[in-house]
């Protein structure tokens, strides 16, 4: 028997589809429903490695946690990882299958992926009571509808009801709801069951006349009005965010346990990937995390993080052009802490041979770590477990670069020289004991009287966030109507709103 389902679409990118999908998953699992998330095609540089060694979007991994199930490649069969403004690496069922231009992808390759995407969705629907699907961008991208495998394409094929989310904080949400519906074909419109307002501030009674007018104009109801809630941008697909504390460029800091705060500067390198690595730092009381792009912003930092990137050679050139490379070299000479993660670790090494990612050939690194990197055609995808600073550490690896460590002290799979640390492991700072030990070392090297909180549990904070998302759905959406939608599909007789698709 095929399980129930719902497609959460959005009027725009970043309307809130990811968090609404997670919230619905958490609400459903609390009702005893066996539920799974799904996104047929995701474009993101923030990815995750499942236990079977498959690479998927971090948003789907977060949604799986909301549903209290183990993430798998079935939940995100196609992942696009941009390498430039015009091309992306295509990851199918967790494994890279090649690089394609946007034109090449939408010109035919995307449609070829429709069958495997639908097979994954049907397998999930045969296993779970409900599958909550997340769309991408807008379902009314009329130039891309013919090859769509993530919005109305799968809604039509699987007969999924569609809930359209709009971000009212940006303004224009009524026009967005109406216009999105009116640009769909009659067959697509028949599946658009209604709307969900996201990020509302103020008195809902002032909004209600507009919602009634929208019902009159479209024949479709609004299933809820979610209030604006700070700090819920967990595991965003892309964008400059510190997701656990919800701020752009600077996190909201709890009072420090010790006498000093600890200032962390994250170099916002091009094609930055898995910048969620610093979320665990931002979750610590007294730790200030900023994303920076100027050398002078490193001066007062106690720790500088060079994060992962999909373009290590491009990131190196960017660091040099902006004077950040020289600033990092000075920091290392002064014994001030620097941490390189994945592509950032590679950039801190002595030499890079890249005939795969950038095809730049031989490139000099910053020379801060005794490491030589060779890019391999095969991508390393792993979930390592190890020990560092006397504590257990878990992480995940996603990289083409193979590092040959020629010296220094062992540090996870990388090394440490003085105050400079490097590793390919993403997610290591989510291990609470290791994070505290690392921050103690950083504070000592930086001369700060900073003391890590003894009881910060990153997993518990993430669970708290997911419960807050579930609460938003439970308290501010018509959950009875949502449940009927998931179980029974879109109501019959929804009116057509002209002009429809051109």
């Amino acid at each position: 028997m095929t399980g129930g389902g719902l497609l959460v679409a959005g009027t725009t990118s970043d309307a809130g589809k990811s968090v609404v999908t997670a919230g619905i998953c958490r609400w459903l699992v609390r009702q005893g429903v066996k539920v799974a998330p799904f996104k047929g095609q995701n474009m993101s540089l923030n990815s995750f490695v499942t236990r079977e060694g498959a690479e998927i979007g971090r948003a789907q991994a977060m949604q799986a946690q909301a549903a209290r199930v183990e993430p798998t490649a079935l939940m995100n069969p196609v992942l696009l990882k941009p390498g430039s403004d015009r091309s992306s690496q295509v990851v199918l069922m967790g494994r890279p299958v090649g690089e394609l231009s946007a034109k090449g992808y939408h010109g035919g390759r995307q449609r070829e992926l429709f069958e495997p995407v639908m097979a994954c969705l049907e397998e999930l629907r045969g296993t779970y009571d409900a599958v909550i699907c997340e769309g991408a961008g807008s379902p009314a991208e009329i130039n891309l509808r013919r090859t769509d495998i993530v919005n109305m394409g799968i809604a039509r094929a699987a007969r999924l009801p569609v809930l359209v989310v709009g971000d009212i904080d940006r303004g224009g949400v009524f026009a967005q709801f109406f216009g999105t519906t009116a640009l769909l074909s009659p067959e697509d419109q028949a599946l658009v069951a209604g709307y969900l307002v996201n990020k509302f501030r103020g008195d809902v009674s002032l909004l209600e006349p507009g919602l009634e007018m929208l019902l009159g104009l479209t024949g479709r109801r609004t299933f809820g009005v979610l209030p604006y809630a700070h700090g819920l941008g967990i595991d965003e697909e892309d964008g400059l965010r510190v997701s656990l504390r919800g701020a752009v460029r600077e996190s909201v800091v709890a009072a420090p346990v010790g006498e000093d705060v600890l200032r962390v500067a994250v170099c916002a390198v091009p094609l930055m990937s898995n910048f969620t690595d610093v979320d665990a730092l931002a979750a610590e009381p007294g730790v200030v995390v900023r994303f920076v792009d100027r050398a002078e912003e490193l001066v007062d930092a106690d720790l500088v993080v060079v994060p992962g990137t999909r373009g290590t050679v491009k990131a190196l050139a960017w660091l040099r052009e902006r004077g950040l490379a020289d600033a990092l070299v000075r920091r290392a000479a002064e014994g001030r802490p620097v941490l390189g993660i994945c592509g950032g670790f590679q950039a801190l090494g002595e030499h890079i041979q890249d005939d795969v990612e950038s095809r730049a050939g031989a490139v000099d690194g910053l020379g801060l770590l005794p490491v030589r990197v060779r890019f391999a055609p095969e991508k390393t995808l792993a979930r390592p477990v190890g020990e560092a600073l006397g504590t257990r550490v878990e992480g995940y690896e996603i990289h083409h670069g193979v590092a040959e460590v020629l010296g220094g002290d062992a540090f996870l799979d990388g090394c440490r020289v003085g105050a400079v640390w490097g590793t390919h492991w993403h997610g290591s700072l989510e291990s609470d004991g290791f994070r505290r030990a690392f921050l103690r070392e950083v504070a000592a090297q930086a001369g700060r009287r900073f003391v890590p909180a003894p009881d910060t549990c990153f997993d518990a904070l993430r669970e708290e966030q997911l419960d807050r998302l579930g609460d938003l759905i439970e308290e501010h959406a018509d959950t009875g109507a949502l449940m009927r939608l998931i179980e029974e599909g879109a109501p019959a007789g929804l009116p057509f709103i002209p002009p429809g698709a051109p």
Side-chain angles (χ1 to χ4, degrees), residues 2-10 21 24 121 125 129-135 139 150-165 184 187-195 220 223 481-492 494:
T2 298
L6 175 70
L7 175 70
V8 178
T21 300
I24 293 174
L121 176 57
R125 294 186 77 187
D129 301 329
V131 178
I132 308 302
C133 306
E134 179 189 344
V150 66
N151 289 309
M152 300 311 299
I154 66 161
R156 281 268 292 278
R159 303 304 301 169
L160 291 171
V162 178
L163 180 70
V164 181
V165 178
L184 300 178
E187 295 82 3
D188 286 352
Q189 285 194 26
L191 295 172
V192 177
Y195 314 109
R220 290 160 174 84
F223 284 77
L482 270 181
M483 189 69 84
R484 287 191 297 275
L485 201 60
I486 292 165
E487 292 176 344
E488 301 170 12
L494 291 168

Side-chain angles (χ1 to χ4, degrees), residues 198-415:
N198 191 28
K199 297 184 183 178
F200 180 73
R201 307 175 193 247
D203 186 346
V204 176
S205 66
L206 298 176
L207 187 65
E208 288 170 351
L211 301 179
E212 286 298 318
M213 287 185 271
L214 183 66
L215 174 61
L217 287 166
T218 67
R220 290 160 174 84
R221 58 167 299 175
T222 298
F223 284 77
V225 178
L226 307 185
Y228 192 102
H230 290 280
L232 286 180
I234 49 181
D235 285 10
E236 299 286 345
E237 290 180 355
D238 282 305
L240 228 55
R241 291 190 90 72
V242 179
S243 57
L244 267 177
R245 288 298 179 252
V248 175
R249 294 184 64 84
E250 188 160 346
S251 55
V252 179
V253 185
V257 175
E259 296 179 46
D260 288 345
V261 299
L262 206 64
R263 294 173 175 83
V264 178
V266 184
C267 296
V269 297
L271 300 174
M272 182 167 54
S273 61
N274 289 72
F275 53 85
T276 46
D277 281 330
V278 300
D279 286 355
L281 297 179
E284 282 287 346
V287 176
V288 183
V289 178
R290 293 172 296 146
F291 287 91
V292 303
D293 55 13
R294 298 189 300 271
E296 55 269 27
E297 294 179 285
L298 304 190
V299 173
D300 67 345
D302 302 307
L303 169 66
V304 174
V305 177
V306 187
T309 171
R310 174 87 163 84
T312 300
V313 170
K314 183 179 289 188
L316 262 171
W318 181 88
L319 290 168
R320 288 180 167 125
E321 287 165 5
R322 291 177 169 265
L324 288 159
D326 290 340
L328 288 167
V329 171
R330 285 194 299 272
R331 285 187 67 89
E334 294 165 359
R336 302 177 67 201
V338 176
L339 171 64
I341 302 174
C342 200
F345 164 45
Q346 296 166 7
L348 298 182
E350 297 172 350
H351 179 82
I352 293 170
Q353 183 67 37
D354 182 8
D355 301 313
V356 175
E357 191 174 76
S358 69
R359 297 181 173 85
V363 178
D364 288 333
L366 298 185
L368 304 185
L369 291 173
V371 174
R372 299 178 71 85
V373 176
R374 174 186 56 83
F375 275 71
E378 303 79 23
K379 181 183 283 190
T380 297
L381 297 169
R383 289 279 294 268
V385 177
E387 185 175 301
L389 302 179
T391 63
R392 186 177 186 273
V393 189
E394 294 184 33
Y396 58 99
E397 295 183 67
I398 306 169
H399 53 91
H400 282 278
V402 178
E404 181 185 6
V405 179
L406 303 172
D409 298 322
F411 176 63
L412 301 177
D413 69 332
C415 64

Side-chain angles (χ1 to χ4, degrees), residues 109 122 140 190 304 319 367 438:
R109 177 62 170 156
E122 290 309 310
V304 174
L319 290 168
F438 177 70

Side-chain angles (χ1 to χ4, degrees), residues 55-102:
E55 184 180 9
I56 66 172
R58 276 198 69 93
Q60 280 61 67
M62 175 267 290
Q63 291 159 359
Q65 186 173 349
R68 296 180 179 145
V69 295
E70 188 68 31
T72 73
L74 291 172
M75 298 171 185
N76 180 206
V78 179
L79 174 64
L80 305 179
K81 302 194 73 176
S84 71
D85 291 340
R86 293 176 176 267
S87 68
S88 294
Q89 183 181 68
V90 181
V91 179
L92 176 62
M93 293 304 295
R95 296 286 172 180
V97 293
E99 295 270 342
L100 275 180
S101 67

Side-chain angles (χ1 to χ4, degrees), residues 175-190:
Q176 292 170 22
F177 284 145
F178 184 88
T180 296
T181 309
L183 278 176
L184 300 178
S185 69
E187 295 82 3
D188 286 352
Q189 285 194 26

Side-chain angles (χ1 to χ4, degrees), residues 38 74 77 93 113-126 154:
F38 178 80
L74 291 172
M93 293 304 295
L113 298 172
F114 183 76
E115 190 173 323
V117 165
M118 286 303 302
C120 290
L121 176 57
E122 290 309 310
E123 184 170 342
L124 289 173
R125 294 186 77 187
I154 66 161

